[in-house]
Amino acid sequence: MKILAATKILKANELLAEENRRTWSAEGVFAVNVLGSPGCGKTTLLEALFAQLRDRIQPAVIEGDIAGSIDAERIDRLGIPVVQINTEGACHLDANIVAAASRQLDYRRVDTLVIENVGNLVCTAGFDLGEHLRMVLLSVSEGDDKIVKYPAIFQRSHVLVITKIDLLPYTDFRPDRVAGDMKRLNPEAAVFQVSALRAEGVAELADWLLQARLQAASPPGR
Amino acid sequence: MKILAATKILKANELLAEENRRTWSAEGVFAVNVLGSPGCGKTTLLEALFAQLRDRIQPAVIEGDIAGSIDAERIDRLGIPVVQINTEGACHLDANIVAAASRQLDYRRVDTLVIENVGNLVCTAGFDLGEHLRMVLLSVSEGDDKIVKYPAIFQRSHVLVITKIDLLPYTDFRPDRVAGDMKRLNPEAAVFQVSALRAEGVAELADWLLQARLQAASPPGR
């Protein structure tokens, strides 16, 4: 019974996600789903990326949080359109709530929609929001065993960003181990190392995201 | 419909949790549910606590992970009885799966059962496992805004342990802010700051846990 219900919920979510993807593609909006543990540095990375990309994209952000609007306020301070979702306890965003939030955006002024999911390395993995690209973050301070322990989210992402590399000297985190684990699990995924604090590696990631956006906009087969 | 189902699941879990609590109390076993984000340092803190408490308690551990047995192997190396649960995707332990795991332990040789939950600051909060004490960890590298953003888990815990304080010089984490947020949300909770790596604050936490164990064993009203 429990398994049946979960299957039905996931199936309904998939249909809504496909609808989101069609809508965004038709509007020329490239959508990115940003995932990672609480405190892995999602909002801080977005701030650093927007600083790099400000003149090259027209971004909007949907912020998913259990409670509060701390992250949305940070994005708002950059002058970027932002919609806050409070999940009121739910551990992940789904395609339905994101569709409702995205209807509040003016697509004529947006070409890149960044959806910052709830901080959660488990539940967010199973819910397609209709994004074109899924970016997962892993911070150095979380330890280098996370890909083995939480495989689903890493398997289903297009790009892994190892964050907070400024903390490398103070931890036993081995980026090579993580890159190797990722290569085995998901050979197609790109891997970046960044310090948003020191703006290290951010330009490379920004360029890669622009490239991915161009490819998503091209008709298939080109 | 979804809400109804969740209510039923939670109600069934509560009944099983009460049964676990009765069983463990009758066997003289003090049960602790350890919660926190992926990579907040749960296993490392347990290693440090067991080093302190080895001669004073007879511990056993139940390890909850999505996949793998990395954490159970670490506990096993200490010569402590350990049962690994693989949730195969589920984002939290529940009272039923913990009951099944705990039946594999020999209660005659155990007086303290530590249940290390799946790394998750959201879903684990709603599921009573039958523990006597709920301990939540927050690492310095996760940022000091987490109590506001994930209130449920902090509200429902008896003790907050701020971990990785050796990283304080390299982050903008303000322990005072976290202690203040916790005081407002959950005034009864104890708050500790530790570095398991440097064994700072671990002895104080260990003593407090022993005290909590004694109080749990006393008949009510004494």
Side-chain angles (χ1 to χ4, degrees):
Chain A
M1 279 288 278
K2 265 163 75 180
I3 292 168
L4 255 181
T7 311
K8 274 187 197 166
I9 290 168
L10 278 173
K11 186 72 196 161
N13 185 73
E14 272 167 39
L15 296 174
L16 288 168
E18 281 308 327
E19 204 172 303
N20 286 349
R21 198 156 17 239
R22 270 196 304 274
T23 304
W24 293 329
S25 295
E27 298 281 357
V29 172
F30 179 62
V32 183
N33 185 1
V34 181
L35 309 167
S37 294
C40 68
K42 293 183 285 300
T43 315
T44 304
L45 179 63
L46 293 186
E47 290 169 333
L49 281 171
F50 290 144
Q52 285 283 338
L53 290 170
R54 203 52 193 279
D55 302 330
R56 295 184 276 171
I57 62 172
Q58 291 188 294
V61 177
I62 294 175
E63 284 289 346
D65 281 295
I66 304 290
S69 57
I70 292 177
D71 292 344
E73 286 161 24
R74 290 170 63 181
I75 300 298
D76 190 52
R77 277 198 284 277
L78 304 176
I80 292 172
V82 57
V83 181
Q84 175 81 52
I85 297 172
N86 274 168
T87 65
E88 295 177 348
C91 49
H92 60 85
L93 296 178
D94 63 26
N96 188 39
I97 197 163
V98 169
S102 78
R103 278 193 285 273
Q104 304 197 28
L105 295 168
D106 180 356
Y107 288 138
R108 288 167 304 179
R109 297 169 183 216
V110 173
D111 62 15
T112 305
L113 174 61
V114 179
I115 307 160
E116 185 180 335
N117 220 312
V118 178
N120 193 314
L121 218 47
V122 184
C123 316
T124 51
F127 285 80
D128 186 359
L129 307 179
E131 68 270 13
H132 301 98
L133 187 95
R134 196 176 282 206
M135 177 162 78
V136 62
L137 276 57
L138 174 65
S139 64
V140 159
S141 43
E142 287 172 72
D144 58 14
D145 58 358
K146 291 300 165 295
I147 292 183
V148 177
K149 290 168 78 175
Y150 302 86
I153 200 165
F154 294 100
Q155 192 158 33
R156 294 173 191 169
S157 291
H158 302 96
V159 52
L160 164 65
V161 184
I162 302 173
T163 59
K164 308 193 189 184
I165 59 164
D166 49 284
L167 291 178
L168 277 175
Y170 317 111
T171 68
D172 56 4
F173 188 96
R174 293 158 295 178
D176 289 353
R177 177 188 171 181
V178 169
D181 286 348
M182 191 66 178
K183 189 96 193 159
R184 269 184 295 280
L185 186 70
N186 183 351
E188 303 292 313
V191 179
F192 289 88
Q193 298 186 25
V194 308
S195 164
L197 205 69
R198 299 190 184 157
E200 280 175 32
V202 178
E204 292 80 353
L205 174 61
D207 287 342
W208 185 88
L209 288 169
L210 280 186
Q211 207 55 42
R213 186 171 164 277
L214 280 177
Q215 281 168 12
S218 305
R222 250 178 78 179
Chain B
M1 278 286 280
K2 266 163 73 180
I3 293 167
L4 257 180
T7 310
K8 274 186 194 166
I9 290 168
L10 278 172
K11 186 72 196 162
N13 184 73
E14 272 167 38
L15 296 173
L16 288 169
E18 280 309 327
E19 204 174 303
N20 286 349
R21 200 158 14 242
R22 271 196 304 274
T23 304
W24 293 329
S25 295
E27 298 281 355
V29 172
F30 179 62
V32 183
N33 186 1
V34 181
L35 309 168
S37 295
C40 69
K42 293 183 287 299
T43 315
T44 304
L45 179 63
L46 293 185
E47 289 169 334
L49 281 171
F50 290 144
Q52 285 281 339
L53 290 170
R54 202 53 193 277
D55 302 332
R56 295 183 277 170
I57 62 171
Q58 292 188 293
V61 176
I62 294 175
E63 284 290 347
D65 281 293
I66 305 288
S69 57
I70 291 176
D71 291 345
E73 286 160 25
R74 289 171 63 182
I75 300 299
D76 190 55
R77 278 197 284 277
L78 304 175
I80 292 172
V82 57
V83 181
Q84 174 81 52
I85 297 172
N86 274 169
T87 65
E88 296 177 346
C91 49
H92 59 85
L93 297 178
D94 62 26
N96 188 38
I97 198 165
V98 168
S102 79
R103 277 194 287 273
Q104 303 196 28
L105 295 168
D106 180 357
Y107 288 137
R108 289 167 304 180
R109 296 169 182 217
V110 173
D111 63 15
T112 306
L113 174 60
V114 179
I115 306 161
E116 184 182 334
N117 220 312
V118 178
N120 193 315
L121 216 48
V122 185
C123 316
T124 52
F127 285 80
D128 186 359
L129 307 179
E131 68 269 14
H132 301 98
L133 186 94
R134 198 177 280 207
M135 176 162 78
V136 63
L137 277 57
L138 175 65
S139 63
V140 158
S141 43
E142 285 171 73
D144 58 15
D145 57 358
K146 292 299 163 297
I147 292 182
V148 178
K149 290 168 78 174
Y150 302 85
I153 200 164
F154 294 100
Q155 192 158 33
R156 294 173 192 168
S157 291
H158 303 96
V159 52
L160 164 65
V161 184
I162 301 174
T163 58
K164 309 193 190 186
I165 58 164
D166 48 283
L167 291 179
L168 277 175
Y170 317 111
T171 68
D172 56 3
F173 188 96
R174 293 157 295 178
D176 289 353
R177 179 190 169 178
V178 168
D181 286 347
M182 190 69 178
K183 190 99 194 159
R184 271 184 294 280
L185 186 71
N186 183 351
E188 302 292 313
V191 179
F192 289 88
Q193 297 186 26
V194 309
S195 164
L197 204 70
R198 298 192 184 155
E200 279 175 34
V202 178
E204 292 79 354
L205 175 61
D207 287 344
W208 185 88
L209 287 169
L210 280 185
Q211 208 54 43
R213 188 171 163 276
L214 280 176
Q215 282 168 11
S218 306
R222 249 179 78 180

